[in-house]
Amino acid sequence: MIHEDIAWPEDMKGKNLIGVSSGWAFAEADVVLKNGTGPLADPVLGGSDVGKSTTDLEPVFGMGVKYYRYLTNNFLLGAIVEHRIFDPKSTRPLNADVDIDDFGTTHLVVEARYQLDPIDEAKRLRPFAGVQFGYVPDVKADGVARYAANSFSPAVTEAISLEGTEFFTLGFVAGASYLIQQGLTFDFGAFYEYALQPTKDQLVL
């Protein structure tokens, strides 16, 4: 229920915000394999010890818990824990189709946010923009590799696992907070994020 007789306080300095979020993250992954060993790198099976491809990580779902503190009426510092679930499209980095099952990543994020004063007549809508620095401790996923039949071998399907190392991200977010009732807001927005360095995966056959 939206109350009609409320507005943002004149000064939010020193106040805390706790919230939950959900949404979808659209991502793309560049897969680069070097010095490969095992069936994926075996020329007899049509493989190679080097390979590169790009795949889309289609979003399944994402959810987070957020905490912010107003250092001034307009400047906030926050911490976020998110879990994102992706469904990767099939990719072909080493002359074999690699299909990865749905997998999830945990993101630990620190955000510095600037929030404008209310811009509407009712003093409820406050746009914001922020910068996020994130840490992903690991990436783990399972799937299968499918090798096509050739003159030396029939078609082969093999279970695989990917174990990726930690990596850091940098992101930018923009949106707005709408005051529904005193102490309760509805936030909406969008973000752009990229990895500062690639995760290094170990392929387990």
Side-chain angles (χ1 to χ4, degrees):
M1 178 178 181
I2 299 178
H3 295 254
E4 297 181 356
D5 56 348
I6 61 167
W8 282 91
E10 290 295 327
D11 190 359
M12 289 289 291
K13 181 179 178 180
K15 296 186 181 298
N16 301 307
L17 295 179
I18 298 176
V20 295
S21 63
S22 64
W24 294 266
F26 296 87
E28 184 180 79
D30 293 322
V31 182
V32 179
L33 300 179
K34 299 178 180 179
N35 301 318
T37 60
L40 278 175
D42 189 344
V44 174
L45 294 176
S48 170
D49 64 348
V50 295
K52 181 178 180 180
S53 66
T54 299
T55 184
D56 291 326
L57 305 181
E58 296 184 343
V60 176
F61 188 67
M63 190 167 187
V65 178
K66 304 183 176 186
Y67 167 79
Y68 292 94
R69 181 171 178 84
Y70 281 88
L71 302 182
T72 70
N73 183 53
N74 300 100
F75 183 73
L76 301 82
L77 193 61
I80 307 167
V81 179
E82 291 183 342
H83 189 72
R84 307 173 190 172
I85 302 175
F86 300 98
D87 178 16
K89 287 187 175 180
S90 178
T91 187
R92 194 177 176 84
L94 287 178
N95 297 325
D97 292 320
V98 177
D99 293 314
I100 301 298
D101 301 333
D102 291 7
F103 72 95
T105 54
T106 298
H107 299 249
L108 308 177
V109 181
V110 175
E111 179 182 335
R113 174 180 293 189
Y114 185 83
Q115 189 172 45
L116 296 175
D117 292 334
I119 62 172
D120 60 327
E121 186 176 347
K123 295 187 180 298
R124 292 190 180 185
L125 186 65
R126 298 188 66 177
F128 61 78
V131 178
Q132 298 181 337
F133 181 72
Y135 170 72
V136 180
D138 57 26
V139 179
K140 294 183 179 181
D142 298 315
V144 295
R146 296 185 174 91
Y147 314 96
N150 57 45
S151 7
F152 301 98
S153 171
V156 176
T157 299
E158 186 169 20
I160 61 174
S161 294
L162 291 174
E163 299 177 359
T165 59
E166 62 183 15
F167 64 96
F168 294 91
T169 63
L170 181 66
F172 305 92
V173 61
S177 296
Y178 185 81
L179 188 65
I180 297 175
Q181 63 182 46
Q182 205 64 48
L184 180 64
T185 66
F186 174 74
D187 292 10
F188 55 93
F191 74 97
Y192 174 80
E193 179 185 76
Y194 63 93
L196 295 177
Q197 88 279 1
T199 179
K200 296 180 179 179
D201 291 297
Q202 178 181 359
L203 178 61
V204 181
L205 300 170

